[in-house]
Amino acid sequence: MIADRLRWGILGTANIARRLFVPGVRAGGETEVLAVGSRSEDAARAFADQLAIPRAYGSYEALLADKDVDAIYVALPNSLDAEWTIRGAQAGKHVLCEKPLARRAAEAEQIAAACKAAGVLLMEAFMWRHHPQHARVRAVLDSGAIGEPGFVRASFSYVIDTTVRRGGMNVRLLPGLEGGSLMDVGCYGVNVARWVFGSEPEGFAAQQWVDPRYGVETIFGGVLRFPGGQLAMVDSSFVHASINRYEIAGPDGRLVVERAFRPDDAPGRIDIYRGSDHSVEVATIPPANQFANEADHFAHCVRAGKLLSPAEDGVAQARALEALYAAAEA
């Protein structure tokens, strides 16, 4: 039984935890951050002091041993997600794991099985799903305004910081930590396509550019074919100007969502084009903290004892990512 507020332990001191997740938790109303764990006690203490977190641990094991922690937020490099999600589950903690859950389906299935065996919830942290602009998109689609959706195009790119700091190279550029643009931002496009069509892809084609300086792909483009002939085109990059948007097309119109995955403090905006004259309706969605919504939603799921829409566990997502990488490497 969890307390009135679900109590988080954070594994790792990554910027996403520091700058977005912890402030998001505090902007919500259902959860609180109790502890942070790092491989370095100094790093954990500095993180805790900066963000006024009550408890700091110099190892992940020590945080998992804290009986007051109800759930863990796994904010580690991709290659460490499986080990520490499984160990968290075995310690009786519910798990919100930063996306993507895994690069390979077998690993994702192992994670999900461990969480099920331990009787804890597992949720992949695709925070975009919890912004109200996408609920509005779903309402537009369900209304039939553009007809049956048949095509999705999604792009997420930014110019990555290649500065080598005291901690080393950016983890997104390290093959040993499962870096790469598809794992970092391209996975959002895959996720939105699966969400739009409400089914899983069955055909894949892809191309990538692996930068020889880093050994990971810095540009990725993929096509996913869904049952019934629906298609999605997704692209991601570490070397192109910032963009995060998706477009959905049907026989009677299309809609475009700008700032789709990271609206941050800006209002959401949906441009809805209809008919042969391409008349446009602009829907503006008030700003929302999607990290706050995500944390609160997770608490609701824990209390319900199951994942509630629009959450998912990430296994099917991993199958799609693995298939895209295989297509690009063929």
Side-chain angles (χ1 to χ4, degrees):
M1 178 68 67
I2 65 172
D4 290 341
R5 285 174 175 254
L6 182 141
R7 297 163 296 187
W8 291 104
I10 298 176
L11 290 190
T13 55
N15 275 335
I16 192 169
R18 183 190 312 271
R19 294 175 48 247
L20 297 171
F21 186 74
V22 173
V25 165
R26 290 172 176 166
E30 303 286 340
T31 74
E32 63 185 60
V33 178
L34 178 65
V36 60
S38 173
R39 292 175 298 175
S40 160
E41 187 170 353
D42 288 345
R45 175 48 58 195
F47 188 98
D49 288 347
Q50 180 185 3
L51 297 171
I53 296 171
R55 304 177 190 179
Y57 295 105
S59 71
Y60 305 141
E61 293 92 340
L63 183 143
L64 295 181
D66 187 331
K67 297 186 183 303
D68 294 330
V69 170
D70 301 308
I72 57 171
Y73 171 62
V74 181
L76 299 172
N78 294 326
S79 62
L80 301 179
D81 285 347
E83 176 186 357
W84 289 102
T85 295
I86 290 171
R87 292 180 69 167
Q90 291 169 342
K93 313 301 184 187
H94 302 286
V95 183
L96 176 64
C97 182
E98 253 314 322
K99 57 78 201 164
L101 183 67
R103 179 170 174 153
R104 298 168 187 84
E107 191 170 61
E109 290 163 358
Q110 181 183 15
I111 293 169
C115 290
K116 182 177 180 180
V120 300
L121 285 191
L122 168 67
M123 187 171 112
E124 186 176 30
F126 271 113
M127 76 295 179
W128 73 269
R129 286 178 172 240
H130 305 281
H131 194 287
Q133 67 179 341
H134 308 293
R136 180 66 176 274
V137 168
R138 176 59 67 192
V140 171
L141 296 179
D142 290 347
S143 75
I146 68 168
E148 184 68 24
F151 184 76
V152 168
R153 179 184 288 110
S155 299
F156 201 167
S157 299
Y158 66 101
V159 178
I160 200 167
D161 183 359
T162 59
T163 305
V164 179
R165 297 187 172 84
R166 184 172 60 181
M169 178 65 71
N170 191 317
V171 297
R172 296 166 183 82
L173 294 172
L174 296 176
L177 296 180
E178 296 186 348
S181 72
L182 177 61
M183 289 290 282
D184 186 38
V185 288
C187 57
Y188 285 88
V190 177
N191 201 250
V192 79
R194 295 177 47 248
W195 173 78
V196 168
F197 295 137
S199 61
E200 301 304 330
E202 57 186 16
F204 304 85
Q207 290 288 319
Q208 63 181 347
W209 166 250
V210 176
D211 192 313
R213 293 173 295 176
Y214 310 117
V216 301
E217 104 287 335
T218 55
I219 307 172
F220 195 97
V223 179
L224 302 90
R225 186 185 73 249
F226 289 77
Q230 299 150 315
L231 292 178
M233 297 180 65
V234 301
D235 63 84
S236 58
S237 171
F238 286 157
V239 297
H240 297 140
S242 179
I243 183 173
N244 72 107
R245 73 192 295 273
Y246 66 80
E247 178 178 349
I248 306 169
D252 302 320
R254 62 189 176 91
L255 58 83
V256 178
V257 184
E258 300 287 355
R259 299 187 302 271
F261 310 114
R262 284 289 305 274
D264 297 334
D265 295 329
R269 173 178 168 141
I270 307 166
D271 295 343
I272 307 165
Y273 300 85
R274 306 186 193 191
S276 58
D277 61 350
H278 305 292
S279 61
V280 60
E281 171 191 343
V282 178
T284 302
I285 313 300
N289 189 321
Q290 56 192 4
F291 288 90
N293 294 344
E294 176 185 56
D296 284 353
H297 185 83
F298 188 80
H300 297 158
C301 292
V302 169
R303 292 191 174 96
K306 62 180 180 180
L307 289 185
L308 305 171
S309 180
E312 63 167 344
D313 64 15
V315 175
Q317 175 80 9
R319 293 191 186 107
L321 295 180
E322 182 175 19
L324 281 170
Y325 274 120
E329 293 163 3

